[in-house]
Amino acid sequence: MNPTAPKHQFVNPFNIEDTELVIGGLKLSRLAQRVGQTPFYAYDRQLLNARIAELRQNMPPELKIHYAMKANPMPAIVQHMATIVDGFDLASAGEMKVALDTVMPATQISMAGPGKRPAELGQAIAAGITINVESQQELNVIAALSEQTGIQANVALRINPAFELKASGMKMGGGPKQFGIDEELIPTVLQHIKSLDLHFKGFHIYSGSQNLKAESIIDAQQKSIQLAVSLTEHCPSPIEKLNIGGGFGIPYFPGDVPLDTRPIGDALAEAINQSKSQLPEAEIIIELGRYLVGEAGIYASQVIDKKISRGQIYLIVDGGLHHHLAASGNFGQVIRKNYPVAIGNKMGIEEMETVNIVGPLCTPLDILADKVPLPKAEIGDYVVIFQSGAYGLTASPTAFLTQPNAEEILV
Ligand SMILES: *Cc1c(COP(=O)(O)O)cnc(C)c1O
């Protein structure tokens, strides 16, 4: 890379009116009045729609786009997503309840995750969703439940591939993993399925998360399709669903370059085309969480106190790591970096100072921003953390320090 090239800077996707951020058509201060409190998360419906529209432009038309609910399981979001995506991927009975309350048909819903309990599996079988089987033991429990209830379960095998998704924020495949069944064991498991009364749907290959390198994603997708093709001879019936994962990332930190999905779509179109004769009945699926919702959300808090300690300015806000663990740097980051942050009612104001933004918790981990230049803020001003639509509230330790809850709204 050219060391003199300017680092990619975060681009705020929201409008600004009279120095205020506008979300869902409302100025931030008005929105806060409407919510009735800070802190809150706000998600913008138009940005969700725009993201899906752009993705469909770039992806091959036959590709199915699923929403991975764990990124943001807020029922209003899931309801909205049900109208713009092709399916849901979920990972618990709790998420399944939210998903089944939407218009999404059960045939377009799958459940993954290690350690599914028999009760959850029973519910999933009754619902008719596809269970992505994560172990031989789980398969046996599903078969027993199917037999007991007389309801034929829909199963796909989640494969832990021999390859890995390179340059991923979190790797979830390759090497020893708690996820899926090792690739080399799959032919034996498929053989076993032939003796069970189950509906074999296909495969699920999910190798990682938060990836900003199109080439790595293309590589993993091609390998996933090749892997499925190589397994067809062992399958009890034709592959109906081939879920090749996702892992599309979003930019959080200076220098993170947004993912260009166009080359991914082009390569995928070619890979799907090439494999068509070997996978004639397969619906090809990608499952995305963060990429679909992450950029559509903000977390807003208000300044309670402003103090100077040995020359450094601290803005103490009413929100913190208990609502937004990821922004504090404690959700999988190795080195703490600042999420994009702004004073939401002082957008574009030039008089700046360098501040530390911390939450109200009695722990030095409760940092929202470390030494960032921002417009001069006072008590009552709004601190906004961008890129907060995914892995926000439900990925945070909300009971820690028994603080008030954050609200969530979809506007
Ligand atoms: C977490 C997860 C996802 C979503 O990951 P994102 O990085 O949010 O896109 C998709 N599928 C499975 C199996 C997951 O575990």
Side-chain angles (χ1 to χ4, degrees):
M1 242 172 74
N2 178 356
T4 59
K7 275 197 164 182
H8 189 275
Q9 288 297 311
F10 172 71
V11 181
N12 157 37
F14 298 92
N15 288 332
I16 293 165
E17 213 179 295
D18 309 328
T19 76
E20 274 200 56
L21 216 53
V22 176
I23 297 131
L26 288 181
K27 281 191 196 169
L28 183 62
S29 57
R30 173 87 179 259
L31 198 59
Q33 278 180 303
R34 193 188 111 171
V35 175
Q37 71 162 67
T38 52
F40 61 89
Y41 278 90
Y43 313 112
D44 189 311
R45 212 182 287 273
Q46 295 315 324
L47 289 181
L48 296 174
N49 294 345
R51 177 45 55 97
I52 294 289
E54 171 216 291
L55 198 57
R56 291 211 191 269
Q57 277 268 309
N58 290 346
M59 292 297 130
E62 66 271 40
L63 183 74
K64 301 292 178 211
I65 299 171
H66 283 201
Y67 176 50
M69 279 177 62
K70 82 168 187 276
N72 191 330
M74 182 202 187
I77 293 254
V78 180
Q79 288 287 342
H80 182 69
M81 296 305 277
T83 66
I84 55 176
V85 299
D86 306 311
F88 288 145
D89 291 295
L90 46 84
S92 69
E95 287 187 352
M96 185 173 79
K97 183 176 187 310
V98 174
L100 292 174
D101 277 342
T102 72
V103 295
M104 188 62 75
T107 51
Q108 307 308 319
I109 299 176
S110 61
M111 178 190 255
K116 299 184 199 74
R117 281 158 289 239
E120 286 177 297
L121 292 168
Q123 287 176 268
I125 294 167
I129 70 175
T130 297
I131 303 170
N132 294 329
V133 180
E134 308 256 355
S135 75
Q136 180 70 249
Q137 161 69 12
E138 189 173 293
L139 185 68
N140 293 337
V141 174
I142 293 167
L145 287 167
S146 263
E147 202 179 315
Q148 271 168 34
T149 57
I151 312 166
Q152 197 186 41
N154 298 316
V155 297
L157 295 184
R158 178 166 181 181
I159 307 176
N160 174 22
F163 64 84
E164 49 178 48
L165 176 55
K166 295 189 189 83
S168 256
M170 277 187 210
K171 288 194 171 62
M172 291 174 71
K177 286 282 179 305
Q178 73 266 51
F179 307 108
I181 300 169
D182 292 347
E183 179 182 325
E184 47 289 8
L185 302 176
I186 296 287
T188 315
V189 177
L190 287 168
Q191 192 56 39
H192 181 48
I193 289 183
K194 287 179 187 159
S195 67
L196 303 170
D197 187 17
L198 298 171
H199 185 163
F200 171 76
K201 286 279 180 180
F203 297 112
H204 176 217
I205 304 164
Y206 183 81
S207 16
S209 186
Q210 180 50 20
N211 200 302
L212 290 171
K213 293 240 177 329
E215 321 84 82
S216 305
I217 293 172
I218 291 169
D219 179 61
Q221 289 183 337
Q222 287 173 346
K223 286 179 176 153
S224 297
I225 293 174
Q226 280 159 16
L227 178 56
V229 166
S230 74
L231 289 167
T232 49
E233 54 169 317
H234 302 282
C235 292
S237 55
I239 296 172
E240 295 169 44
K241 289 181 190 282
L242 175 57
N243 182 332
I244 58 170
F248 296 15
I250 63 172
Y252 288 102
F253 311 121
D256 281 358
V257 178
L259 188 65
D260 179 5
T261 57
R262 173 56 64 85
I264 299 174
D266 291 348
L268 197 49
E270 202 179 310
I272 292 175
N273 222 10
Q274 279 175 4
S275 61
K276 209 150 231 163
S277 58
Q278 290 129 305
L279 302 170
E281 293 175 38
E283 187 172 77
I284 312 286
I285 301 163
I286 56 167
E287 53 176 355
L288 302 170
R290 183 192 315 266
Y291 188 76
L292 300 188
V293 294
E295 303 194 90
I298 59 148
Y299 174 63
S301 60
Q302 258 178 307
V303 180
I304 303 169
D305 196 356
K306 178 174 183 176
K307 65 193 235 185
I308 298 174
S309 169
R310 309 220 159 95
Q312 286 208 35
I313 303 170
Y314 285 83
L315 299 178
I316 301 164
V317 299
D318 58 8
L321 79 73
H322 54 308
H323 301 150
H324 204 332
L325 187 69
S328 78
N330 293 294
F331 188 63
Q333 294 98 322
V334 182
I335 302 164
R336 193 196 171 284
K337 293 181 198 164
N338 294 323
Y339 267 45
V341 58
I343 306 299
N345 56 319
K346 292 188 169 164
M347 301 299 292
I349 285 180
E350 308 237 308
E351 200 191 348
M352 310 275 274
E353 61 187 9
T354 294
V355 296
N356 298 283
I357 301 173
V358 299
L361 303 191
C362 265
T363 161
L365 299 176
D366 195 8
I367 300 170
L368 290 178
D370 180 34
K371 297 188 192 71
V372 283
L374 285 174
K376 222 172 187 171
E378 304 304 332
I379 289 165
D381 281 344
Y382 295 93
V383 166
V384 167
I385 312 281
F386 295 104
Q387 308 296 77
S388 297
Y391 304 108
L393 192 56
T394 61
S396 299
T398 50
F400 192 30
L401 269 293
T402 320
Q403 287 276 333
N405 288 328
E407 285 291 338
E408 280 188 294
I409 53 162
L410 173 64
V411 281

